[in-house]
Structures are given as structure tokens and as C-alpha cells.
């Protein structure tokens, strides 16, 4: 029962008491009775056993100003209601006048609980009818427009909160001061396969979840025991099918008016797809990283001005620190003028034209002063709008290969010098007896001046 209904009941009791007092031997003055009911805050009318109006107050008369000509003692209740309907004074009756009138008369013949009536202009009345000992009817109505507006506001806020909550969560839950579930919304069974009877009365760790990560659950329990709010506590459980289910829960503690802890209220989400997608992404990233690391010594990234914005260094031998090259172009980091070197000039043009490149080889001096050979590959990067944002690529330190090739060339030069300076005729043949190399002595022995005539 609402507070407005309680007020109506009290006012009705007061009216009946006033009538009883006024009609007793000491208080027979009807003027005193009429004055009393005129001062009531509400619409008052008394109808006889024959359903005719006996008396009403000033508020009743004001609210029936459109039917003043008939709103006087002796008026039949049916005629009164019908006149109000025909005058458009009952907003709820518009478009269904006959039906509404019949419903109202049935309610009048069988007084019961208070009911609301919608009036024009957005006004509302709460009406209560009571039978008198003499068989008549006492009707009292109060304006509840303000309370209806407050109710609509409250419902709007509650509905908005409900919408927000449902958009942010899959189910709701509540636990007591011992962290045992006292409420879980029914859709948890549909969304997760967890039966409600496996939840109510149990703590979260007792509902078949995976608690093998002891540190994780100990930290969560410590948070609960400190009565602190928590967000996105993610854990897993195994379904009957064997598939892993990932769940995320958030909760806030609530307390009574004395500040005593009563429990938690919160929301839960099935985040299995999100976790699996995240794991798949991490696996994919790890796979790409492993492939890239196996194929290169360093990763690098440049901004739209072709200056280094990120790099993983090849090693201490090449650069002292990332600051050696961050914010620089590659040719600045290498200490060369690209416009004076054909290879660097072509490489710079490739990058300025946003072209991908592979195995551009250049040399630089490391911090020990030794020459090192670096091979780089890269591709231009564009944002969603097609705007160039820089380059990403890899680098490989080919110094060992470069030095091995140089050593081989030096060994070949020395071998050739020794062979050519020998006075003995020397020839080198392959398995098919084809001549691969001869010295000058061999060429002269066969009447040739140039040993290349034999190759």
C-alpha cells in the first residue's frame, strides 16, 4: 500500500468521524459539518443509499466546474459520471467512453482498493470509495500528479539503469557477508551451462571453477575480506563437454545504515570468445615474432619523415644504445650522404616514393671502428585513411658472411699469385676433364700467351 493510499484512508476516517460528531446530539449544526469538509485537502462527496448526491465540498465543486449546472444534491451517481465523461473530464475514457463508464459503475457498486483516474492536462487522482453504515457511499479523491511524475522519473531512472546493466553484463548476482550466493539471475544457466542449484548457498570457489591458480584466488579472497570493490576478475571452469569456459565478474560491497558489511552485488560475463580470441592473437603474434627473429637480427620502424621511431638493437657491437639512431634517418645513423652515393641515392628515392625494398646492403663502422655489413628490408605502412605513416622492416647483420667472403677472395688471390708465379706448368680440371684454371707456364708450354684461352 502506497503512502498516498494511507493518507486517503486516514482522511476518509476523519470525514466519517466528523460526520458522526456533527450528527450527534451536541453537534447538530450542519454548517459546522460543511465547514469541516470544505477544509479537507481533497475531493469529497457523500452519496445516499439511492445513489444520489447528499453533500460535497468546495474542491468537488471546483473540479466539476464544467458540469456546475447538475453538480448539486440529488444528482444520480450514474448521471454524474456520464456527464464528466461527455464533458471530456476523464482522459482515460477518451475513445472508449461506454466501456469506461460501465467499468466505473461496476467499481462503484463494489467498493474496494483505491484506484487511479487520469484527468485531462496530465493530472491524476487517487480515488477511494467506502460504504457507510446507512448504505450510502463516501468518495474521497486526492491529486497525485506530483507523486506520479516522481514515480515516472524513478521508473525511468530504474529502467535506464537496467538497460545499462544488461548491456554491460550477462547476469547479475548477490552474495551475503560470508560470500555465499543468495541470488543469481536465471540466465546464467543458459549463458554458461552452470545450473542455479550449483550456485545458491555456495562461495564462488565452490561452484566447480578451476582454482589451480592459488595466487589468483588468494588475492581475490583477500579483496573480498577487505570489503573492497573489484572489476574484471577473470577465471575459468570446465564444462561437462570438456570445453574451457572463461568468466569475468565485477562486484561492489553493500552495507546497512550502521555501516555493517552485508555482502556483494555484481555482474558477470561469459568472456570465453574474448579470451580465446586474445590467446589466438597472442599465439599468432608469437609465431610471427619467432619467424621474424629467426630470419632477422633486428626490427625497426620509421615515422612519416623516415626517422627511426622504434628499433630492437642488433647487439652492443653495432650500436651503443637505441639513442644512437632514434629520431635519425638511416643515412644519418650510418654517417653517409645519400646524394653522393648512387646506392644510397636509389634507396632514399625508394623510400620517398613509398616503395617496398628487400636486401638493401650498406656498411657502417661499429663502436669499435670495425666495418660491418647490414642488409635491410622494409615496407611502407598506411593508416585506415590511406595516409602514409612510415616504414616497418627488419635488419640482418651480414658481417660474418661479408668477412668470410673477403677472406675467401684473399685466399683465392694468394693461391692465384703462387700458381701464376710457379715455373712449373699447372692446370686444374673438373670431373668432366674440363679445364678450369691454368697458370702462365702451362699456357706458354702450349703456345698461348693468355691462360684464359683454356677456360
Amino acid at each position: 500500500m502506497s503512502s498516498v493510499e494511507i493518507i486517503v484512508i486516514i482522511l476518509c476516517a476523519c470525514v466519517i468521524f466528523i460526520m458522526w460528531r456533527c450528527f450527534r446530539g451536541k453537534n447538530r449544526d450542519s454548517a459546522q459539518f460543511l465547514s469541516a469538509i470544505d477544509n479537507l485537502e481533497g475531493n469529497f462527496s457523500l452519496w445516499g443509499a439511492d445513489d444520489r448526491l447528499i453533500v460535497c465540498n468546495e474542491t468537488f465543486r471546483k473540479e466539476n466546474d464544467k458540469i456546475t449546472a447538475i453538480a448539486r444534491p440529488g444528482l444520480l451517481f450514474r448521471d454524474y459520471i456520464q456527464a464528466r465523461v461527455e464533458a471530456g473530464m476523464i482522459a482515460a475514457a477518451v475513445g472508449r467512453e461506454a466501456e469506461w463508464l460501465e467499468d466505473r459503475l461496476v467499481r462503484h457498486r463494489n467498493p474496494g482498493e483505491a484506484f487511479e483516474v487520469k484527468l485531462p492536462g496530465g493530472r491524476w487522482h487517487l480515488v477511494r470509495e467506502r460504504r457507510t453504515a446507512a448504505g450510502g457511499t463516501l468518495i474521497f479523491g486526492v491529486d497525485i500528479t506530483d507523486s506520479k511524475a516522481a514515480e515516472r522519473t524513478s521508473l525511468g531512472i530504474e529502467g535506464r539503469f537496467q538497460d545499462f546493466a544488461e548491456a554491460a553484463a550477462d547476469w547479475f548476482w548477490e552474495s551475503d557477508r560470508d560470500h555465499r550466493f543468495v541470488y543469481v539471475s536465471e540466465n546464467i544457466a543458459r549463458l554458461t551451462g552452470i545450473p542455479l542449484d550449483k550456485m545458491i548457498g555456495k562461495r564462488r570457489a565452490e561452484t566447480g571453477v578451476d582454482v589451480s591458480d592459488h595466487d589468483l584466488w588468494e588475492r581475490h579472497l583477500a579483496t573480498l575480506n577487505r570489503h573492497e570493490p573489484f572489476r574484471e576478475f577473470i577465471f575459468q571452469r570446465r564444462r561437462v563437454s570438456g570445453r574451457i569456459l572463461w568468466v569475468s565478474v565485477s562486484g561492489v560491497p553493500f552495507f546497512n545504515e550502521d555501516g555493517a558489511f552485508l555482502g556483494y552485488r555484481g555482474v558477470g560475463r561469459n568472456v570465453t570468445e574474448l579470451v580465446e580470441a586474445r590467446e589466438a592473437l597472442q599465439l599468432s603474434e608469437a609465431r610471427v615474432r619467432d619467424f621474424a627473429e629467426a630470419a632477422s637480427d633486428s626490427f625497426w620502424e620509421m615515422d612519416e619523415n623516415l626517422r627511426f621511431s622504434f628499433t630492437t638493437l642488433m647487439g652492443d657491437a653495432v650500436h651503443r644504445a637505441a639513442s644512437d639512431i632514434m629520431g635519425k634517418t638511416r643515412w644519418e645513423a650510418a654517417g653517409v650522404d645519400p646524394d653522393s652515393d648512387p646506392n644510397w641515392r636509389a634507396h632514399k628515392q625508394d623510400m620517398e616514393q613509398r616503395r617496398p625494398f628487400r636486401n638493401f646492403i650498406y656498411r657502417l663502422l661499429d663502436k669499435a671502428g670495425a666495418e660491418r655489413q647490414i642488409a635491410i628490408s622494409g615496407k611502407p605502412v598506411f593508416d585506415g585513411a590511406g595516409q602514409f605513416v612510415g616504414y616497418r622492416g627488419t635488419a640482418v647483420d651480414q658481417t660474418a658472411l661479408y668477412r668470410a667472403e673477403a677472406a675467401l677472395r684473399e685466399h683465392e688471390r694468394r693461391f692465384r699469385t703462387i700458381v701464376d708465379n710457379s715455373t712449373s706448368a699447372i692446370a686444374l680440371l673438373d670431373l668432366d676433364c674440363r679445364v678450369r684454371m691454368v697458370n702462365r707456364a702451362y699456357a706458354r708450354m702450349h703456345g698461348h700467351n693468355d691462360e684464359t684461352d683454356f677456360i
Side-chain angles (χ1 to χ4, degrees), residues 334-447:
V336 299
D337 178 5
D339 295 325
S340 63
D341 185 296
N343 290 331
W344 276 102
R345 185 165 56 249
H347 174 63
K348 181 181 178 183
Q349 289 174 352
D350 279 341
M351 300 190 75
E352 289 175 341
Q353 296 298 317
R354 319 303 187 217
R355 290 191 289 260
F357 58 88
R358 285 187 62 81
N359 292 325
F360 171 67
I361 296 174
Y362 68 98
R363 296 180 178 87
L364 55 76
L365 297 179
D366 62 23
K367 64 183 182 181
E371 187 177 69
R372 304 188 79 87
Q373 178 172 292
I374 310 298
I376 59 171
S377 299
K379 61 177 296 185
V381 180
F382 303 88
D383 62 18
Q387 185 72 26
F388 173 72
V389 294
Y391 268 88
R392 293 193 187 109
T394 60
V396 178
D397 184 354
Q398 293 185 338
T399 303
L401 176 63
Y402 164 70
R403 289 173 178 172
E405 289 176 343
L408 178 61
R409 286 193 298 271
E410 177 61 20
H411 287 309
E412 288 179 345
R413 184 189 66 77
R414 289 178 181 177
F415 174 74
R416 186 76 195 193
T417 300
I418 293 172
V419 170
D420 281 345
N421 290 319
S422 174
T423 57
S424 300
I426 300 174
L428 179 65
L429 283 71
D430 62 18
L431 294 177
D432 296 322
C433 295
R434 292 187 178 87
V435 177
R436 293 302 182 188
M437 185 193 74
V438 299
N439 65 354
R440 285 192 290 269
Y442 185 92
R444 286 194 297 271
M445 181 184 295
H446 292 81

Side-chain angles (χ1 to χ4, degrees), residues 38 55 117 147 181 219 221 246 269 280 323 327 359 380-381 385 421:
D38 276 340
V55 67
V117 178
S147 63
F181 289 111
R219 289 194 300 271
L221 182 58
W246 288 93
R269 291 188 300 141
S323 58
N359 292 325
V381 180
N421 290 319

